[in-house]
């Protein structure tokens, strides 16, 4: 699990747009398409600027019915999966 102070930003090799109620994200380098809804779309939109996991979770807890400890674990797993897909980068 990532530390709450870990800062995340969108990767350079992706493009995204809103399509109805979904965020469509394309990893240009790998030609992979991802569709995000609800919490995932909220997190993606939050990453317009680099954000710490703690900041991301604060926003998720404020907008969705989720406990902070569950949010931290879920957001950490989600960010790791987005990093593995080449959509985000961990900022040193």
């Amino acid at each position: 699990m990532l530390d709450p102070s870990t800062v995340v930003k969108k990767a350079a090799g992706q493009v995204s747009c809103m399509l109805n109620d979904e965020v469509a994200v394309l990893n240009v380098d790998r030609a992979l398409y991802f569709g995000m809804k609800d919490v995932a779309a909220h997190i993606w939109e939050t990453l317009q600027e680099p954000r710490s996991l703690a900041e991301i979770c604060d926003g998720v807890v404020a907008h969705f019915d989720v406990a902070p400890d569950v949010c931290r674990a879920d957001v950490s797993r989600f960010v790791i999966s987005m990093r593995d897909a080449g959509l985000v980068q961990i900022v040193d």
Side-chain angles (χ1 to χ4, degrees):
M1 189 160 79
L2 297 172
D3 188 87
S5 64
T6 302
V7 176
V8 182
K9 69 176 186 175
K10 291 181 180 180
Q14 59 73 32
V15 293
S16 63
C17 67
M18 288 296 297
L19 293 173
N20 298 323
D21 62 343
E22 182 178 13
V23 176
V25 184
L26 175 66
N27 178 317
V28 178
D29 298 329
R30 298 181 188 173
L32 297 173
Y33 164 83
F34 300 86
M36 298 181 197
K37 287 182 153 187
D38 303 322
V39 177
H42 176 81
I43 292 170
W44 186 256
E45 290 303 310
T46 299
L47 292 176
Q48 296 301 324
E49 298 290 328
R51 302 267 186 239
S52 70
L53 261 59
E55 291 173 309
I56 294 168
C57 281
D58 288 347
V60 170
V61 168
H63 287 90
F64 298 93
D65 184 22
V66 61
D69 57 331
V70 172
C71 183
R72 283 189 294 275
D74 289 350
V75 168
S76 181
R77 281 192 298 274
F78 180 66
V79 166
I80 289 168
S81 70
M82 288 197 316
R83 180 199 61 198
D84 293 347
L87 302 179
V88 300
Q89 297 174 313
I90 306 297
V91 178
D92 293 326

